[in-house]
Amino acid sequence: MIRFPKPKVEQFFYTYSIDHFQVSKDEKKLVFSTNLSGKRNLWALDLSKEHTYPFQFSQKDESSSFIQFDPNGKYVLTALMQMGMKIITFTPCLQREDYRSR
């Protein structure tokens, strides 16, 4: 029989959420804002693969107010909240393999 460790009460008070998401025009990429790592960041899925798993797309530890692909699908535009100021950033739209090799 498999034995699992006794859960800590804190586990039951932590929730994961997705604020918003955007699918690319060709429907091969999905970028979403979530707290999967404990802080708000952008995560992505490569929908062109049969089995996909989310990977961290950016690590700014800030919440974003929107996500938008550029018309050519090469960049992701987002606005991050840093110290009460909105910062607009452009991030190259990479494939999972490209992202991991950096």
Side-chain angles (χ1 to χ4, degrees):
M1 176 176 205
I2 299 174
R3 297 203 182 264
F4 294 99
K6 184 176 179 182
K8 297 177 184 174
V9 71
E10 291 85 9
Q11 287 179 253
F12 299 105
F13 293 106
Y14 190 79
T15 59
Y16 298 105
S17 64
I18 295 176
D19 288 339
H20 45 274
F21 65 93
Q22 183 71 36
V23 179
S24 62
K25 193 178 349 179
D26 61 4
E27 299 180 354
K28 292 183 178 181
K29 301 174 192 94
L30 170 72
V31 177
F32 56 100
S33 174
T34 185
N35 62 341
L36 286 176
S37 62
K39 296 185 179 182
R40 292 265 168 227
N41 284 296
L42 295 182
W43 287 69
L45 287 168
D46 184 356
L47 301 175
S48 64
K49 308 285 186 201
E50 184 176 335
H51 301 287
T52 186
Y53 190 80
F55 61 95
Q56 197 163 3
F57 187 71
S58 72
Q59 186 174 1
K60 300 289 185 184
D61 297 339
E62 301 286 344
S63 61
S64 64
S65 57
F66 71 91
I67 301 169
Q68 183 68 47
F69 283 91
D70 81 306
N72 297 326
K74 294 179 80 173
Y75 296 94
V76 174
L77 173 66
T78 187
L80 303 172
M81 293 300 293
Q82 290 183 338
M83 301 165 110
M85 296 172 47
K86 217 177 244 194
I87 310 293
I88 297 178
T89 62
F90 295 93
T91 306
C93 193
L94 305 171
Q95 296 295 333
R96 182 179 184 151
E97 293 79 22
D98 296 336
Y99 187 78
R100 298 219 184 254
S101 66
R102 286 187 167 205

